[in-house]
Amino acid sequence: MRLLLIEDSVRLCETLSAGLSRVGFAVDVVSDGPRGLSYARLNPYDLIVLDLMLPGLDGITLLRQLRAGGCETHVLILTAKDRVQDRVLGLRAGADDYLVKPFDFDELVARLRALLRRRYGKKRPVFELGTLTLNSAEGSARCGDRAVDLSPREYTLLELLAYRSGETVSRIEIEDALYGEHDLPGGNAVDSAVCRLRSKLGELAGGPRIRTRRGRGYALVAGP
Amino acid sequence: MRTIRGRLLVLLTLGMTALLLVGGVVVWFVVRSSLRDGFDESLASKAGLLVASLQLEVLPEHQQRITRLGASVLADLDEKGSAGVDLTERDELLLLAKRGFRVRLVLDPDSFPEYRSSSRPEYFEVSLESGDVLVRSGSLAGTTLGSWHGPAEWNLRDVTLPDGRAGRAIRVRVGNVKFADKLWSQAWSRIRGEARLPNTTAVVLVAKDLGDVEAALSSLRIGMVAVGLLVVAGAALLIFLVCGRALHPLRQLRHQLLDLDAAALRDRVHLDQTPPDLAPIVDSLNEGLARLERAFRRERRVAGHLAHELRTPVAELRAITDVARRWPEDQELRRRCVEQGNEIARHMGRVVSALLRVARAQSGECELETAQLRLDSLLQGAWERRGAAAKRRGQTFLMRGATDLSVDGDPEVTRAILTSLLQNAAEHAPEGSAIEGLLRRDGAGVELSITNPRDTPEVEAFNAAGDLPWNDDSASPSSGQPGLGLPLVAELTRASGIGFEVEVLSGEFRVSLAFPSSA
């Protein structure tokens, strides 16, 4: 899932970017307000993590302009401002969640995953695809009692296809969800990722299968 | 320790009681003296009456013979005697009279009934100075009043009466008792050459009990004590009420001070009607409260600034440790986390060091160092420390004006101030913009202004009292640079004696520092 991190602390950007990438997010990092607004308008992000105290353009103004422009991306405000009126102001400006610094990294990830479920209209963190059980809260997949060994990127791909189970997901959408602006994927990177995940799913008895819709993309369907 | 009202009540009541006591004693003695004087005058009047009633008379056996002579005989005798004529029977009588013309003092006790009263009788006694009692009052019943000698004709003294009562007596020496009969008086005068008691002086003693005086004095004493007690009680009540009313401002002051706590330091002491003698105290209290409020507000402000200053590095530190713990097998991630953690720790150390330096300088524990500093060198050094972040955003720093000026200041604090200002300017300036430093001489001092373009539409106000409302924006130490927020920079400049002014201009943000002296 593709995430935009708008945060002026370079150290925090680096840390969060490294951590979030490892749990499967494709992270783009921006350190000032004007560029953050520009990135959010131009790219189809699943989530935006927004600091309020930004050089150039403060987070609240950025958020208001974003919502005024019709952007529906879920936004989590991550800030040192901890007063109630600040939280109310942020939520009223269009934020979907609010987290105060200092924060727990696991809490941040859990909140981001919760926002993802909201994005795809899911309430339950666990959903089953045949014998495969996907836990979006933990970011893990199991087949029966056995954990399925997936890389963060494979899990993200499986989660994307699972969220849109039965639908055809285009190669572009998959690429946007898996790779950040600095990842520079190769021409067949999406195909390779789908191939690896398909292979792992094929080993699971009764698990879901990935079908290729020629010229349109891929779809996750129930297993045989 | 009693309350002021209690002390005033006790002291004023005691003082009033003492005054009443002294006044009562004086009045009592004056009245007593007056009563006794009156008593003495009454006693003297009685004695005078007795003295006036005391008369000389010829012994009865002589009296019978001489009386017969009559006044004309005496007149003739006088002429004949002088002429040497023969004596007749009447002359014999006269000669007898010449030989044995004896007189006696007489006083009729029946003329004075008060001296016979069985209830509280009075006493008198007439005697010769030799002690021979001539006559005494029936109340004495054979006893005597005694006698004493006194130099004056009239002497007064306290005595114990024969019946045991306390009394007062007067002694009168009488030397010129007259004859009861004018005829005898003339005869005695011719014979003796004077119409006085022969060869002796009568002494009249009169005594009377002091019961009336003592009763009056006793009544007066009781009355005065009763009135005094009533006056003291009434005065105490009055003092209590008056003190309560007079001390109302103090009570109001006390209540207001009791209601004051750290949460109500904005309140001031206000009395409905401040007495002039309390006004300085109220003013001093209000000034103290204002100072306290400023101190508390500043403490809260500094604590807030400090908390905010440390919140972001703490968040960074926590995120770093969380990520490093989650993927312990990733050596590269671990190495980066350790490096960043170290950098954060150093940054926080600088913040704490600067704050401690300010706090110690303000509390007088230490003084800031003073050295001659080239501002342009410090600014260039600070800009270079910002390094990569500024280059990445394409920002430049330009020095203008008298770049060779030096100032006197603490190197560490001045460096922290300049670094922070440049960092804040760079963070708030758009990409590719130029930040300008202008140095110029301002009288004896040096003024440095750092101006950066600013594309944020909002305009903030600067609170001259030292509160910086945009501190949330400015206090963010971002980009890994060791900077302090503007509020803490303001604290540092205040502690260093450097003037600090912020101007929000149209499209520009300018911070000016006024260094007091230059080399």
Side-chain angles (χ1 to χ4, degrees), chain B residues 142-424:
Chain B
T143 60
T144 178
L145 284 175
S147 63
W148 76 89
H149 297 286
E153 294 293 319
W154 298 72
N155 290 291
L156 284 158
R157 67 185 298 181
D158 290 332
V159 295
T160 302
L161 299 179
D163 58 2
R165 290 176 293 151
R168 196 159 169 79
I170 186 168
R171 177 178 182 271
V172 183
R173 293 174 73 240
V174 185
N176 55 350
V177 184
K178 292 191 169 77
F179 283 89
D181 192 328
K182 189 177 178 183
L183 182 64
W184 289 112
S185 177
Q186 289 173 349
W188 184 266
S189 237
R190 289 175 182 235
I191 295 166
R192 299 290 181 177
E194 58 178 1
R196 295 182 61 197
L197 185 67
N199 301 325
T200 187
T201 300
V203 174
V204 176
L205 280 175
V206 179
K208 186 181 175 185
D209 74 305
L210 283 167
D212 292 340
V213 173
E214 291 300 332
L217 285 175
S218 176
S219 298
L220 177 67
R221 201 162 45 233
I222 291 170
M224 284 174 64
V225 168
V227 170
L229 287 176
L230 282 175
V231 168
V232 167
L237 181 63
L238 194 64
I239 290 168
F240 183 78
L241 295 175
V242 169
C243 284
R245 186 167 180 79
L247 294 174
H248 174 70
L250 271 182
R251 199 163 52 247
Q252 197 182 5
L253 183 65
R254 174 176 169 268
H255 286 148
Q256 290 195 19
L257 289 178
L258 282 176
D259 289 342
L260 286 176
D261 56 22
L265 288 176
R266 284 174 186 271
D267 296 344
R268 293 288 179 270
V269 176
H270 173 72
L271 303 181
D272 297 335
Q273 289 177 333
T274 308
D277 42 359
L278 271 186
I281 296 174
V282 171
D283 290 345
S284 297
L285 276 173
N286 282 334
E287 283 174 20
L289 283 172
R291 280 199 297 273
L292 208 56
E293 185 198 357
R294 282 197 297 274
F296 269 87
R297 196 168 59 211
R298 186 175 178 193
E299 187 185 333
R300 282 195 292 267
R301 191 181 69 226
V302 171
H305 294 164
L306 180 60
H308 192 89
E309 197 74 34
L310 294 177
R311 188 184 288 273
T312 298
V314 167
E316 293 168 350
L317 207 53
R318 185 160 179 188
I320 287 168
T321 51
D322 280 355
V323 169
R325 263 193 326 190
R326 188 159 174 151
W327 292 280
E329 71 286 353
D330 190 332
Q331 294 300 321
E332 175 58 21
L333 179 67
R334 208 167 158 179
R335 185 189 61 76
R336 283 214 316 269
C337 288
V338 169
E339 281 179 3
Q340 288 182 343
N342 182 263
E343 194 179 342
I344 293 167
R346 280 190 285 118
H347 163 63
M348 291 168 73
R350 276 192 289 270
V351 172
V352 171
S353 174
L355 287 171
L356 275 177
R357 205 169 177 79
V358 170
R360 284 172 183 159
Q362 286 177 339
S363 65
E365 284 182 40
C366 70
E367 288 187 0
L368 298 174
E369 292 176 19
T370 302
Q372 202 176 79
L373 307 168
R374 280 284 295 263
L375 286 176
D376 63 327
S377 302
L378 288 176
L379 284 166
Q380 290 297 346
W383 183 253
E384 284 166 13
R385 275 195 295 280
R386 179 164 168 76
K391 283 180 186 170
R392 192 170 60 241
R393 299 188 68 202
Q395 293 170 329
T396 53
F397 176 59
L398 300 173
M399 277 297 299
R400 293 200 301 115
T403 56
D404 59 341
L405 288 176
S406 297
V407 296
D408 293 331
D410 183 289
E412 189 176 333
V413 173
T414 309
R415 192 175 293 115
I417 291 170
L418 297 180
T419 303
S420 303
L421 290 180
L422 274 184
Q423 176 192 328
N424 290 324

Side-chain angles (χ1 to χ4, degrees), chain A residues 2-7 20 25 28 36-37 39-51 54 59 62-63 66-67 71-78 95-97 108 112 115-116 119:
Chain A
R2 194 167 179 187
L3 180 148
L4 174 62
L5 174 61
I6 309 174
E7 165 65 57
L20 291 173
F25 288 99
D28 289 348
L37 181 63
Y39 269 57
R41 279 176 172 165
L42 296 176
N43 299 295
Y45 291 106
D46 293 296
L47 296 168
I48 296 174
V49 176
L50 175 66
D51 188 10
L54 294 167
L62 185 154
L63 184 55
L66 208 57
R67 294 300 187 218
C71 177
E72 296 292 333
T73 307
H74 287 74
V75 174
L76 181 144
I77 290 177
L78 185 65
D96 298 279
D97 202 354
L108 173 66
L112 292 174
L115 287 179
L116 269 183
R119 167 169 164 67

